[in-house]
Amino acid sequence: MNKLASNGPQEVAFMIPDISGFTKFLSGTEIRHSKHIIEELIEVIGRETKDYFELAEVEGDALFLYQRTDAIDGDTIFKVARNTFIAFHQHLLNYENLRICTCGACSSAINLSLKFIMHVGTMELATVQGKQKPYGLDVIKAHRLMKNNVKGNEYLLISNDYNQRFGTGAIELDLIAGSATYDEIGEMPYQYGALTHLKNDLQPDERQMSSPGKSLKTLVSAEAEINAPLNVVYEVLSDFQYRPVWNSEAKIVDHNEDDIYQVGTEHYCIINNKKHQIRTVGNPDSKLEFGEQALNTGPFRELNLYFVFNKSDEASEHTRLTIEIRANVITLLRPFVNLFVKPKLRKKIPEVLESIKKLSERLAVERKEEINTPVVLD
């Protein structure tokens, strides 16, 4: 990539991909998950743009990019924006297809979107605390254009300065003229075009789907009515810090604590001093079923601990949870499973379910107390 000279102003093309659409989240789970989702999306944008633009700064939910105008052309710039928009929404579609979390961050992630601000002007690099930062009036102009009169969150906006340098022939969009007036800068005319239609042909990547085997049979099943919302029960099941509380025999190891628990993720679980590789699986037709799959363990070709949720409505404070052990037993070992394994599971699963119930109900009470506790300012 052609680097910007360290001294003197030069003409550059600015690109600002800006993520928008997240609502304000309240619970710790939602804040943690929203941060993770945004970080993944920023990585997607960075991957699609890094070969063409220099990254000046990650600015919250936006990236500030630039490149010398003699090192890039209008056709390339539009292709980068288009490909980035498609990759962004493909990632969200895959996530929506695989997610099992029902928190506000995860369930609304599919509504996130991306817009692009394009401007051309002069800038130079100023050294601030040992780091080089873009400096100049056009740096300010590019950022001011993020606040404009365009309705919606899925568009590409080009300033008149960009148009004069590169034209609009490479931009395969129906462009509309507009302008905005900014203090100390004055009126800035621009053109913009919607990008929404680029999502029309996207399909989730089915190769990422992970479902339990069709030959599984239910060995043991138990259910309980829990006086807690579904999202709290889900948090108890999916947050590994709670796992030893409701399953004293299980110790979770070798997993990334920052990852969001979803279909296709893997972790390792130590049970009775044996290490098992566990893969999260789900029902493609329901967001209220998911399980943990272990292959070739003991007398089983496949063994699943499966959770099935049921609630009366979105605002319900009660959740009916069913836990099932689904398995594909090695034929020669079925007598052993029936005589020794199933009786142990019939005792263990209700105990686990009762622990999940108690923990979920305690957390639900704590959540309510946190919401109802007034904030006292000195």
Side-chain angles (χ1 to χ4, degrees), residues 10 32 42 67 77 93 114 124 278 285 320 347:
Q10 295 180 68
R32 188 168 69 252
I42 287 175
Q67 180 57 280
I77 292 174
L93 189 58
L114 189 63
E124 53 188 313
I278 308 295
D285 300 320
R320 178 165 288 277
K347 179 182 178 182

Side-chain angles (χ1 to χ4, degrees), residues 71-310:
I72 199 165
D73 56 71
D75 184 59
T76 300
I77 292 174
F78 176 69
K79 285 181 179 178
V80 171
R82 180 187 60 198
N83 293 343
T84 301
F85 184 86
I86 291 172
F88 177 94
H89 283 284
Q90 184 67 63
H91 181 86
L92 287 177
L93 189 58
N94 290 340
Y95 179 73
E96 174 67 11
N97 200 41
L98 298 173
R99 75 172 177 87
I100 51 178
C101 182
T102 61
C103 81
C106 291
S107 57
S108 64
I110 192 66
N111 298 320
L112 290 172
S113 200
L114 189 63
K115 57 179 178 284
F116 296 85
I117 304 299
M118 311 288 206
H119 178 58
V120 166
T122 58
M123 62 162 268
E124 53 188 313
L125 295 173
T127 302
V128 179
Q129 295 183 343
K131 296 182 179 180
Q132 290 189 317
K133 302 286 186 180
Y135 173 79
L137 177 60
D138 283 297
V139 173
I140 297 172
K141 287 182 176 181
H143 284 85
R144 292 289 180 86
L145 283 169
M146 296 172 71
K147 302 295 184 181
N148 52 60
N149 301 317
V150 179
K151 294 182 179 179
N153 296 315
E154 299 180 334
Y155 60 83
L156 181 148
L157 181 150
I158 64 170
S159 69
N160 267 21
D161 293 311
Y162 177 98
N163 187 13
Q164 290 173 10
R165 180 63 176 80
F166 292 113
T168 61
I171 299 177
E172 302 165 3
L173 302 173
D174 294 327
L175 297 175
I176 301 171
S179 68
T181 302
Y182 305 99
D183 293 343
E184 300 177 358
I185 293 177
E187 184 179 16
M188 288 192 67
Y190 53 73
Q191 293 177 283
Y192 65 94
L195 298 169
T196 305
H197 66 282
L198 296 177
K199 300 186 295 182
N200 291 346
D201 296 328
L202 295 181
Q203 296 293 330
D205 187 351
E206 295 298 335
R207 292 174 299 174
Q208 296 189 47
M209 288 302 296
S210 180
S211 302
K214 295 181 179 179
S215 60
L216 297 181
K217 293 185 178 180
T218 301
L219 296 182
V220 177
S221 177
E223 66 176 30
E225 185 79 18
I226 301 175
N227 297 321
L230 187 150
N231 65 310
V232 173
V233 180
Y234 167 81
E235 181 180 347
V236 167
L237 295 174
S238 64
D239 195 327
F240 290 140
Q241 68 173 319
Y242 298 122
R243 188 64 59 98
V245 179
W246 57 263
N247 188 357
S248 58
E249 295 181 0
K251 180 182 178 182
I252 306 299
V253 295
D254 296 344
H255 73 97
N256 188 342
E257 295 183 359
D258 293 327
D259 284 347
I260 298 175
Y261 188 77
Q262 57 183 306
V263 172
T265 57
E266 294 183 353
H267 61 275
Y268 287 86
C269 187
I270 297 177
I271 302 175
N272 296 327
N273 297 318
K274 292 183 179 180
K275 188 175 182 179
H276 302 274
Q277 184 177 5
I278 308 295
R279 183 176 179 84
T280 304
V281 296
N283 183 346
D285 300 320
S286 174
K287 294 296 184 188
L288 298 179
E289 295 185 22
F290 70 92
E292 295 186 347
Q293 173 195 74
L295 299 177
N296 302 317
T297 179
F300 306 105
R301 292 188 179 90
E302 181 178 345
L303 180 67
N304 273 19
L305 172 65
Y306 219 72
F307 306 102
V308 181
F309 297 92
N310 188 286

Side-chain angles (χ1 to χ4, degrees), residues 19-34:
I19 302 171
S20 57
F22 248 137
T23 55
K24 183 178 180 180
F25 303 117
L26 299 176
S27 77
T29 297
E30 291 173 326
I31 292 172
R32 188 168 69 252
H33 287 192
S34 65

